[in-house]
């Protein structure tokens, strides 16, 4: 038994040393007084992660402080977001890269322990990526209207990167607004979903622009419409669903957005410093190039405007989730 | 000619060589640390590549990927803790070998097998990318479904000993794989309202708990310091062993290539399928799981065969097959390059420079791996009373590092207890893992096929690929039955003969 205690204490001590390696303290008067944690609520490798690392890299120069990216994946993005909502000691130096998962998660799980709008401070939306309505090259449909008219009589299938993804929810929204018959076919990520679309196993998808852009260029996929407010400069010939307008499509404007949020106790001074620093970051050439390569556009809203946007999104997805029977009590 | 010059100009930059060497080295080290996976290392290295030339940037990431794939086997062999999920299969024979004082032999075989598989995988990437990419595109949910069925039949061979215990293990694996969100409806299954379980049970804490912890419990339960055997610097792989294992290595590499070329299966499954295939064909299959060097060879060939091949759908179709290739796709895009057919038309010299670098990475893996073996094999010489507390620390830290969450540490300890009970009751861990890995793929592809086909069952026999895998599945079941019956027959005869003589 004594031996066991020895072992456990050695292990515990070692773990403590190892864990504390990542925590350092610095002293200064103005915010930030120590390193800033940028929480990514997803595993490494996705758009949120890549964007966050790019932003953290540029933010370091603007804040003159270390910005540490921390991945905290789990249950969509709700594990990390729930943790942020609880506040705690480091809440004044913690920011989180929120994305559609923030609002969709709240719609699907109404019993979440946090309020997706009131518990947070919305700093700045950094990036908007449109979704593209794409069909396989050999699909008979040349326009969104043709597709809808066919889908009102026949059952169509649409693929997504998983239940509750922005791709899935865009499809559900499209289905509800247009009264189409569509079956959702979920895959484990966009990488796995793409072959089914290219091979014609599914009829349509509302994929993120970066995933399908090269396939549209090469002619393997046909873009019928983009879901953004205005046409994308990358696909200038492709209409927006909003401008098509028929079948309630004027109501279908949705983008994958990525923006920084903090706990609602985030100090005012820190909020102002962050907003200023992020404006500088967004003006940097590196950031502009990065956004272009993703086929997206820089975010334009921050503060209260950003908050209103998120509140509207929550309400919208809430209705879609209820309609599609996705709400998990 | 102009092209060749351009390719060489792109390839022969000093930066490229440094990138490959650093990448492979980082990969081997990170891969060997439990809980720190190649995926994490690639994600962390990504920002550093923003300012690099595109070829060097991609080669750095590919180097980490390949190094990590091998590195995982080091701790799997030495301390029964797979450094990354793909090396879980390697420990089945690797660790028993280390216990028998053959750590160096196991580590070397893992390295040689990895390098050969890597090389074969690269060749497939360079010469057959277009062809394999076409197969990958024709691989829809029904084809996937039959591939998984076939894989499940191969692993019957893993349940040797007691078929009942093997089945219990496999079903338990499937049961635990059900925990999490339903893939179609998003509803919670077996999570008991715990949000930590919503993303299903984390694989790395499960592996660490299942394999490393029982060894530690066993050691302290016996309360004796076992005799420290001969130095781990013992004999390396002999030519005869290499020759004997070569067929398994080549077959394993090809299995890895095919699995790698199809997005969404992964290196862990490839390692197990290759291992089961080698065991089934071996004349002394009873030695597998007890320290058979061919088992290490087959497993490592399977997982490293995947590494080059996952780049096939990425480069030729722009489809990332796993998280690592998704990050590499990100690196391409940051440099303004979009993988896919257009890249081959517009940036052919760059592609060839990449191919040369990828080939070189196999060679560098051989050197880095050899050096790593020299130092890592010293671990086998550390007395267990000192080693095991350190291993336990890594178990805790590794489980924590996956999601930065203490829940995973508790999960790891719970699986440690389960692994210990498995050991005491003789329930094999391999079928459990297979159930855990393949169970969800089986379910998801079955349901996906039904959704795509609007519940029309004819989708399961829709084309040559489905027919091919149905034939393989049926053949494999019949072969297993035949072997089972003939073994019983022989046993009966053997039992009858003494009676007849008496």
């Amino acid at each position: 038994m004594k031996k066991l205690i020895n072992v456990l204490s050695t292990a515990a001590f070692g773990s403590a040393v190892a864990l504390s390696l990542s925590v350092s303290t610095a002293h200064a008067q103005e915010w930030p007084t120590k390193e800033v944690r940028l929480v990514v609520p997803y595993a490494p490798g996705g758009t949120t992660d890549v964007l966050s690392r790019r932003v953290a890299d540029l933010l370091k120069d603007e804040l003159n402080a270390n910005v540490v990216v921390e991945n905290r994946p789990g249950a969509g993005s709700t594990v990390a977001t729930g943790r942020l909502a609880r506040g705690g000691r480091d809440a004044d130096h913690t920011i989180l890269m929120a994305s559609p998962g923030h609002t969709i998660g709240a719609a699907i799980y109404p019993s979440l322990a946090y309020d997706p709008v009131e518990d947070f401070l919305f700093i700045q939306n950094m990036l908007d990526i449109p979704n593209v309505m794409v069909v396989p090259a050999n699909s008979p449909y040349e326009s969104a209207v043709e597709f809808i008219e066919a889908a009102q009589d026949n059952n169509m299938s649409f693929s997504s990167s998983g239940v509750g993804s922005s791709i899935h929810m865009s499809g559900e929204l499209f289905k509800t607004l247009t009264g189409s018959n569509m079956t959702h076919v979920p895959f484990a990520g966009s990488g796995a979903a793409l072959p089914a679309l290219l091979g014609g196993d599914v009829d349509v998808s509302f994929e993120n622009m970066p995933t399908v852009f090269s396939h549209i260029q090469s002619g393997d996929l046909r873009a019928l419409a983009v879901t953004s407010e205005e046409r994308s400069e990358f696909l200038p010939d492709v209409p927006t669903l909003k401008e098509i307008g028929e079948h309630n499509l004027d109501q279908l404007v949705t983008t994958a957005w990525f923006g920084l949020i903090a706990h609602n106790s985030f100090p005012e001074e820190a909020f102002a410093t962050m907003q200023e620093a992020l404006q500088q970051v967004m003006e940097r050439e590196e950031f502009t190039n990065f956004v272009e390569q993703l086929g997206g556009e820089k975010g334009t809203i921050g503060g209260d405007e950003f908050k209103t946007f998120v509140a509207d999104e929550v309400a919208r997805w809430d209705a879609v989730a209820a309609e599609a029977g996705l709400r998990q009590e | 000619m102009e092209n060749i010059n351009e390719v060489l100009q792109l390839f022969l930059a000093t930066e490229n060589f440094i990138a490959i060497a650093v990448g492979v080295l980082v990969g081997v080290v990170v891969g060997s640390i439990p809980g720190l996976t190649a995926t994490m290392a690639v994600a962390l290295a990504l920002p550093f590549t923003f300012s690099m030339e595109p070829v060097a940037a991609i080669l750095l990431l590919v180097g980490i990927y390949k190094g990590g794939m091998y590195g995982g086997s080091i701790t799997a062999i030495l301390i029964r803790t797979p450094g990354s999920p793909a090396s879980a299969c390697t420990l089945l024979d690797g660790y028993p070998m280390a216990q028998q004082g053959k750590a160096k032999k196991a580590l070397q075989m893992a390295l040689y097998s990895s390098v050969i598989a890597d090389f074969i995988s690269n060749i497939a990437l360079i010469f057959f990318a277009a062809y394999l990419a076409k197969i990958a595109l024709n691989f829809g949910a029904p084809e996937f479904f039959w591939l998984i069925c076939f894989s499940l039949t191969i692993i019957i061979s893993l349940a040797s000993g007691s078929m009942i215990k093997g089945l219990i293990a496999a079903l338990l694996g499937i049961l635990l794989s059900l925990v999490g969100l339903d893939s179609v409806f998003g509803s919670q299954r077996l999570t008991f309202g715990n949000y930590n379980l919503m993303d299903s049970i984390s694989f790395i804490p499960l592996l660490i708990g299942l394999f490393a912890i029982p060894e530690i419990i066993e050691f302290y339960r016996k309360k004796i310091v076992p005799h420290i055997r001969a130095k781990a610097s013992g004999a390396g792989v002999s030519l005869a062993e290499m020759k004997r294992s070569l067929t398994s290595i080549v077959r394993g590499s090809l299995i890895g290539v095919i699995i790698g070329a199809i997005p969404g299966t992964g290196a862990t499954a490839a390692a197990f399928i290759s291992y089961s295939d080698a065991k089934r064909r071996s004349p002394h299959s009873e030695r597998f799981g007890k320290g058979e060097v061919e088992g290490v060879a087959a497993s490592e060939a399977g997982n490293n065969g995947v590494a080059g091949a996952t780049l096939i759908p990425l480069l030729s179709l722009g489809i990332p097959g796993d998280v690592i290739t998704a990050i590499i796709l990100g690196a391409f895009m940051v440099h303004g390059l979009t993988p896919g057919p257009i890249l081959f038309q517009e940036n052919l010299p760059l592609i060839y420079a990449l191919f040369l670098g990828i080939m070189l990475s196999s060679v560098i893996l051989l050197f880095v791996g050899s050096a790593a073996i020299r130092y890592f094999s010293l671990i086998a010489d550390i007395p267990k009373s000192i080693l095991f507390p350190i291993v336990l620390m890594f178990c805790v830290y590794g489980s924590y590092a996956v999601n930065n969450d203490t829940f995973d540490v508790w999960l790891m300890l719970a699986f440690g207890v389960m692994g210990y009970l498995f050991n005491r009751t003789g329930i094999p861990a391999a079928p459990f893992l297979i159930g855990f890995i393949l169970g969800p793929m089986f379910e998801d592809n079955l349901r996906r096929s039904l959704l795509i086909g609007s519940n029309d069952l004819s989708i399961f026999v829709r084309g040559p690929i489905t027919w091919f895998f149905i034939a393989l599945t049926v053949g494999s079941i019949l072969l297993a039955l035949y072997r089972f019956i003939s073994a019983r027959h022989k046993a009966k005869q053997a039992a009858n003969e003494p009676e007849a003589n008496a």
Side-chain angles (χ1 to χ4, degrees):
Chain A
M1 192 61 201
K2 200 173 163 197
K3 207 170 219 172
L4 185 70
I5 291 168
N6 273 340
V7 179
L8 288 177
S9 54
T10 315
F13 175 71
S15 307
V17 170
L19 290 177
S20 63
L21 283 177
S22 55
V23 183
S24 68
T25 44
H27 296 282
Q29 288 308 305
E30 283 178 6
W31 191 92
T33 52
K34 54 181 178 181
E35 65 181 19
V36 176
R37 266 195 317 154
L38 200 174
V39 178
V40 176
Y42 296 97
T47 308
T48 314
D49 181 63
V50 176
L51 169 70
S52 300
R53 289 179 194 284
R54 198 72 184 120
V55 169
D57 210 29
L58 299 172
L59 199 54
K60 260 178 220 167
D61 307 339
E62 304 299 334
L63 291 178
N64 284 324
N66 200 12
V67 181
V68 182
V69 176
E70 190 180 303
N71 296 86
R72 266 190 179 278
S77 60
T78 56
V79 169
T81 314
R83 210 174 285 254
L84 180 68
R86 286 201 290 276
R89 206 163 46 88
D90 289 329
D92 58 343
H93 280 81
T94 306
I95 51 178
L96 181 143
M97 188 63 84
S99 61
H102 183 79
T103 50
I104 295 172
I108 293 183
Y109 304 105
S111 56
L112 280 176
Y114 60 85
D115 183 320
V117 180
E118 295 306 325
D119 286 350
F120 303 98
L121 203 65
F122 295 84
I123 306 173
Q124 178 67 42
N125 186 29
M126 304 293 296
L127 170 69
D128 283 313
I129 296 178
N131 289 3
V132 192
M133 180 182 180
V134 277
V135 293
N138 61 5
S139 167
Y141 313 110
E142 298 285 343
S143 74
V145 174
E146 271 181 48
F147 181 88
I148 294 165
E149 279 159 7
Q152 282 169 342
D153 300 326
N154 309 295
N155 191 32
M156 301 283 186
S157 55
F158 71 104
S159 61
S160 86
S161 57
V163 176
S165 59
S166 82
I167 300 163
H168 171 205
M169 296 304 271
S170 303
E172 293 288 354
L173 183 60
F174 181 90
K175 179 179 161 182
T176 318
L177 287 175
T178 61
S180 305
N181 297 308
M182 300 209 299
T183 307
H184 174 224
V185 185
F187 287 83
S190 281
L194 210 42
L197 190 63
L198 289 167
D201 268 352
V202 292
D203 299 308
V204 69
S205 185
F206 298 83
E207 266 290 351
N208 293 142
M209 174 80 91
T211 315
V212 288
F213 182 62
S214 69
H215 302 286
I216 296 170
Q217 275 189 314
S218 66
D220 294 324
L221 292 176
R222 189 182 312 133
L224 300 186
V226 290
T227 64
S228 43
E229 180 86 37
E230 279 164 23
R231 289 191 183 202
S232 160
E233 56 180 296
F234 300 97
L235 297 170
D237 301 332
V238 179
T240 66
L241 286 173
K242 190 184 174 185
E243 70 179 72
I244 294 172
E246 290 174 61
H247 302 285
N248 297 324
L249 287 180
D250 53 329
Q251 296 169 44
L252 211 162
V253 176
T254 176
T255 52
W257 55 273
F258 301 87
L260 288 167
I261 66 173
H263 185 250
N264 62 10
S265 70
F266 203 62
E268 235 170 80
E269 179 210 351
F271 179 74
T273 311
M274 272 302 296
Q275 271 211 321
E276 202 177 308
L278 288 172
Q279 287 305 331
Q280 299 295 331
V281 166
M282 290 169 77
E283 274 166 31
R284 294 265 291 268
E285 198 193 334
E286 292 102 314
F287 189 78
T288 310
N289 291 340
F290 180 76
V291 169
E292 263 179 25
Q293 274 135 21
L294 286 176
E297 272 161 39
K298 289 180 192 174
T300 49
I301 52 176
D304 287 341
E305 239 183 317
F306 188 15
K307 184 175 177 176
T308 312
F309 166 78
V310 170
D312 291 348
E313 285 281 293
V314 172
R316 169 170 47 187
W317 296 132
D318 201 43
V320 174
E323 180 77 25
L326 289 166
R327 219 183 248 171
Q328 313 291 332
E329 298 301 337
Chain B
M1 194 61 210
E2 204 178 300
N3 268 346
I4 294 177
N5 272 338
E6 207 178 331
V7 170
L8 289 178
Q9 222 168 19
L10 277 169
F11 172 64
L12 290 174
T14 327
E15 202 189 10
N16 293 345
F17 294 92
I18 297 173
I20 300 172
V22 169
V24 172
L25 186 66
V26 168
V28 169
V29 172
V30 169
S32 68
I33 298 172
L36 294 187
T37 58
T39 314
M40 264 185 227
V42 171
L44 291 174
L46 182 61
F48 295 102
T49 64
F50 291 154
S51 56
M52 294 165 72
E53 288 297 314
V55 176
I58 306 295
L59 288 178
L60 176 75
L61 302 180
V62 171
I64 296 177
Y65 184 16
K66 299 203 163 198
M69 204 65 108
Y70 165 70
S73 69
I74 296 175
T75 37
I77 290 168
L78 292 175
I79 54 176
R80 207 170 187 243
T81 312
S84 55
S87 52
C89 186
T90 308
L91 68 73
L92 295 179
D93 282 286
Y95 185 71
M97 284 182 73
Q99 280 185 313
Q100 294 155 17
K102 297 182 201 157
K104 189 176 177 191
K105 196 191 288 277
L107 287 169
Q108 274 190 352
M109 182 52 101
L111 177 64
Y112 298 154
S113 172
S114 293
V115 171
I116 295 172
D118 199 36
F119 196 75
I120 292 178
S121 196
N122 292 340
I123 298 278
L125 165 68
I126 294 169
F127 293 103
F128 304 107
Y131 183 69
L132 284 166
K134 240 178 228 151
I135 296 183
L137 267 194
N138 287 318
F139 230 87
E143 287 79 14
F144 230 119
F145 172 78
W146 286 113
L147 169 71
I148 303 295
C149 284
F150 171 57
S151 308
L152 285 169
T153 64
I154 297 186
I155 56 156
I156 293 175
S157 63
L158 283 183
S160 60
S162 161
M163 189 58 90
I164 299 286
K165 282 182 181 170
L167 276 176
I168 292 174
L171 290 174
L172 204 57
I174 293 173
L175 181 70
L176 288 176
S177 76
L178 296 178
V179 174
L181 295 184
D182 179 282
S183 65
V184 176
F185 298 110
S187 44
Q188 300 190 33
R189 295 198 302 203
L190 303 173
T191 59
F192 304 101
N194 187 330
Y195 67 89
N196 287 304
L197 289 171
M198 274 167 61
D199 273 347
S200 74
I201 292 174
S202 309
F203 195 37
I204 290 171
L206 180 147
L207 283 177
I208 295 177
L210 197 62
F211 291 111
I213 298 294
E215 282 299 296
I216 300 173
I217 298 177
E218 199 68 55
F219 174 72
Y220 288 102
R221 195 183 66 87
K222 285 179 182 156
K223 284 185 186 160
I224 43 161
V225 180
H227 169 67
I228 305 294
R229 0 126 302 269
K231 290 274 172 202
S233 42
V237 176
S238 72
L239 199 62
E241 284 164 334
M242 202 62 212
K243 261 188 189 162
R244 183 156 63 83
S245 306
L246 202 59
T247 322
S248 289
I249 294 176
V250 173
R251 283 178 73 106
S253 309
L254 295 178
I255 291 172
V257 167
I258 292 171
I259 302 261
I262 304 166
T265 326
T268 315
F272 274 103
I273 294 171
S274 162
Y275 179 84
S276 323
D277 174 65
K279 182 178 175 184
R280 198 165 64 159
R281 282 180 314 95
S282 169
H284 23 255
S285 59
E286 73 287 348
R287 294 211 297 243
F288 277 69
K290 294 173 190 136
E292 169 58 50
V293 72
E294 201 179 337
V296 173
S299 161
E300 281 298 303
N303 69 35
N304 281 276
V306 168
T310 47
L311 297 174
I312 293 173
L314 178 72
L315 289 177
S316 51
L317 302 170
I319 297 171
D322 57 15
V323 184
I324 295 191
T325 40
I327 302 173
I328 297 177
L329 175 67
F332 269 106
M333 293 176 62
V334 165
H335 288 98
L337 301 163
T338 315
I342 294 172
L343 189 65
F344 277 82
Q345 286 163 20
E346 291 177 357
N347 294 76
L348 203 60
L350 180 123
I351 298 257
Y352 280 104
L354 273 181
F355 283 165
L356 284 175
I358 290 169
M359 291 302 272
L360 182 66
S361 71
S362 299
V363 180
I364 292 192
L365 178 62
L366 184 64
F367 287 108
V368 172
S370 301
I373 288 176
R374 196 172 310 148
Y375 296 105
F376 273 107
S377 60
L378 298 176
I379 291 176
D381 296 334
I382 300 174
K384 295 209 162 154
S385 50
I386 296 171
L387 181 65
F388 277 167
I390 299 172
V391 172
L392 185 57
M393 181 192 100
F394 269 110
C395 291
V396 171
Y397 184 59
S399 306
Y400 180 83
V402 180
N403 289 327
N404 289 332
D405 202 325
T406 42
F407 178 79
D408 286 334
V409 177
W410 293 114
L411 203 61
M412 180 272 293
L413 293 173
F415 279 108
V417 173
M418 196 180 92
Y420 178 69
L421 294 178
F422 271 20
N423 279 2
R424 303 287 289 175
T425 49
I427 293 178
F432 172 82
L433 281 182
I434 290 290
F436 190 82
I437 298 166
L438 294 185
M441 291 188 195
F442 178 87
E443 185 202 343
D444 289 351
N445 285 295
L446 175 66
R447 294 173 73 182
R448 234 170 252 150
S449 306
L450 291 171
L451 285 171
I452 290 170
S454 307
N455 290 331
D456 180 359
L457 293 180
S458 66
I459 195 168
F460 289 106
V461 289
R462 69 173 179 180
I465 301 180
T466 55
W467 305 336
F468 175 71
F469 281 105
I470 291 171
L472 280 184
T473 309
V474 173
S476 178
I477 292 173
L478 290 178
L479 185 72
L481 271 178
Y482 169 76
R483 286 192 177 173
F484 181 69
I485 291 170
S486 64
R488 281 195 101 172
H489 190 69
K490 266 185 201 159
K492 239 185 199 168
Q493 265 187 342
N496 284 342
E497 262 168 27
E499 278 172 36
N501 290 343

